[in-house]
Amino acid sequence: MLLRPAVVVIRRVVVALVLSVFVGVTAIAQATPAWAAQYDVTATITVGSKPRGVAVSPDGTTAYVANSFSNTVSVINTTTNTVTTTITVGTRPRGVAVSPDGTTAYVTNNTANTVSVINTTTNAVTATITVGTSPYGVAVSPDGTEAYVTNTGSNNVSVINTTTNAVDATITVGASPRGAAAVSPDGTAAYVTNYSSNNVSVINTTTNTVTTTITVGTRPRGVAVTPDGTKAYVTNIGSNNVSVINTTTNTVTTAITVGTDPLGVAVTPDGTKAYVTNYADGTVSVINTTTNAVDATITVGTAPYAVAVTPDGTKAYVTNYAGDDVSVIELRATATATASADAGVPGIFLTVAGPVGRSASEAPVYYGADRVAVTSTYLLTVTGVSNVAPMITTLAEGTIDADGSFSSMTRLPVLTPGVYNVRLVGTHVNGSTLQLTSQVTIGGVGEFTSIGANIPVIK
């Protein structure tokens, strides 16, 4: 809730200081100041050599990364963003997928022509299944009964019975099916990108036959289906765009220009965004699935390959093929100063924003200013609520740039649940000071409050 006290004018100069603290589940529809980044790369995790595929467990606690030159899978704890163990699989692992119940991971071994089956409790390989030639991608059906493996060298898809770990069917598709298959949420269809045919094969999973073939862009690689099953997004590395398929009519409705050499794609659990890795750009394009426009471009590591989003939608894990690491993107809820507060008005803006499902103490703090008096300084701190409480920490301090603006980002320290003051103090070149304090209630995971204020400050 924004509080708007009456404006006070002295010497005909009014400067609005806005301190907005939003740590909450409810995203507020507002104009976003240029300094308020919507996405942050918050961690870079070293894994094995030449990481390719990545998958996140259904409970969101673990990410699995296939390291193609190390012949291993790195197991990442998504809470600490550290590699907890490394599992040896077959030669040149490419794709990885986790079963819906989280008990099993499937890894394609490209030069071994096999799939390694991993018990996710013991992190041991329990079976090795021979499939087609040069297996690339793998996807598991929503009911967990089948795994679909794209075989680049034999132009077909192996259908694995996950109970028996045997190949029950082999389906001929287009030329060089090089990406991972994607299964519709209802399990009735599987979509396979054919790299050398410039098309997508649609498989009826009941009959294990190709029912239609859809022409897309040049050299399609990745494919992902929206949670409601109405659309499929296909990355085309040769045409630097993404084809959007209407899954009811099996037609391409639009093509979205993204970065250079798009490879991987993943759709968020709420279906609102698609994330595309641009291999040659070192970026990830964020597509708004309602408008089919690129809303943001995020710089990650070198040669980003694949991407997977956590089930709660708060993080994305991107494998960087040439960097031998994984970039962790925070997908935070939008919370910024209101349009009425910052529209054309000089002032300092502060946002504390936490994504849904994360504790407030992990929230990033965005702060910045536009068109304020030069040579002013600022100090951002966290204190207790008592007047006698000592300052807990300094979050940021500095001098406003010569153009009258500054922007940056920091993080709250780890704090025990309770009430705290986030305080912004400014000192003008003429010696006058300004101060604004807002209280933040920090609870456990998922417990947030939001308090805002729009207070004019006299200089």
Side-chain angles (χ1 to χ4, degrees), residues 49 59 82 121 195 224 316 324 369 390 431 459:
S49 179
D59 64 4
T82 57
T121 301
Y195 181 82
D324 297 338
K459 287 186 179 180

Side-chain angles (χ1 to χ4, degrees), residues 10-11 13-15 348 372-373 376 400 427-428 430 432-434 457-459:
I10 291 185
R11 298 178 185 172
V13 177
V14 178
V15 178
I348 298 174
V372 297
S376 299
I400 296 173
T427 303
H428 189 255
N430 64 12
S432 62
T433 61
L434 52 88
V457 176
I458 304 161
K459 287 186 179 180

Side-chain angles (χ1 to χ4, degrees), residues 73-442:
V73 170
S74 296
V75 181
I76 296 172
N77 180 315
T78 59
T79 300
T80 61
N81 283 328
T82 57
V83 175
T84 57
T85 191
T86 301
I87 308 167
T88 299
V89 290
T91 52
R92 296 295 188 265
R94 290 286 197 274
V96 57
V98 183
S99 61
D101 64 4
T103 62
T104 310
Y106 298 87
V107 179
T108 58
N109 304 305
N110 188 258
T111 61
N113 299 330
T114 61
V115 170
S116 295
V117 182
I118 297 172
N119 181 314
T120 58
T121 301
T122 62
N123 286 325
V125 174
T126 58
T128 302
I129 308 166
T130 300
V131 289
T133 305
S134 303
Y136 215 98
V138 57
V140 182
S141 61
D143 62 5
T145 61
E146 293 171 312
Y148 297 84
V149 177
T150 57
N151 303 304
T152 304
S154 50
N155 300 330
N156 56 25
V157 172
S158 297
V159 183
I160 297 173
N161 181 316
T162 59
T163 301
T164 63
N165 283 330
V167 174
D168 277 356
T170 301
I171 308 165
T172 300
V173 290
S176 301
R178 193 168 293 188
V183 184
S184 61
D186 62 5
T188 61
Y191 299 83
V192 176
T193 56
N194 303 306
Y195 181 82
S196 297
S197 298
N198 300 330
N199 57 31
V200 170
S201 296
V202 183
I203 296 172
N204 180 314
T205 58
T206 301
T207 62
N208 283 328
T209 57
V210 174
T211 57
T212 190
T213 301
I214 307 166
T215 299
V216 288
T218 307
R219 293 186 288 163
R221 290 292 293 267
V223 58
V225 182
T226 56
D228 63 4
T230 61
K231 290 185 284 189
Y233 288 80
V234 177
T235 59
N236 304 302
I237 189 173
S239 47
N240 297 328
N241 60 16
V242 172
S243 297
V244 183
I245 296 173
N246 179 317
T247 58
T248 301
T249 61
N250 284 326
T251 56
V252 174
T253 58
T254 190
I256 307 165
T257 300
V258 288
T260 307
D261 294 348
L263 284 180
V265 58
V267 178
T268 55
D270 63 4
T272 61
K273 293 178 175 60
Y275 297 89
V276 176
T277 58
N278 303 306
Y279 185 84
D281 281 357
T283 63
V284 170
S285 296
V286 183
I287 296 173
N288 181 316
T289 58
T290 300
T291 62
N292 282 327
V294 174
D295 278 354
T297 301
I298 309 163
T299 300
V300 288
T302 307
Y305 202 91
V307 57
V309 182
T310 54
D312 64 2
T314 63
K315 290 182 183 179
Y317 287 80
V318 178
T319 56
N320 301 306
Y321 181 79
D324 297 338
D325 55 27
V326 171
S327 296
V328 183
I329 300 172
E330 292 278 357
L331 315 174
R332 69 175 178 83
T334 301
T336 64
T338 64
S340 59
D342 67 6
V345 179
I348 298 174
F349 308 97
L350 172 68
T351 297
V352 179
V356 175
R358 298 292 303 280
S359 65
S361 61
E362 296 172 301
V365 179
Y366 296 87
Y367 53 96
D370 188 27
R371 300 176 304 279
V372 297
V374 296
T375 68
S376 299
T377 61
Y378 63 92
L379 178 66
L380 181 65
T381 62
V382 173
T383 68
V385 296
S386 170
N387 291 333
V388 297
M391 183 173 67
I392 294 171
T393 186
T394 297
L395 294 177
E397 58 184 322
T399 302
I400 296 173
D401 296 335
D403 64 354
S405 65
F406 71 92
S407 65
S408 190
M409 186 273 283
T410 186
R411 288 188 176 275
L412 287 173
V414 176
L415 301 171
T416 57
V419 180
Y420 296 87
N421 290 324
V422 178
R423 178 174 293 147
L424 184 65
V425 177
T427 303
H428 189 255
V429 63
N430 64 12
S432 62
T433 61
L434 52 88
Q435 177 174 298
L436 184 59
T437 301
S438 188
Q439 290 187 349
V440 182
T441 300
I442 295 178

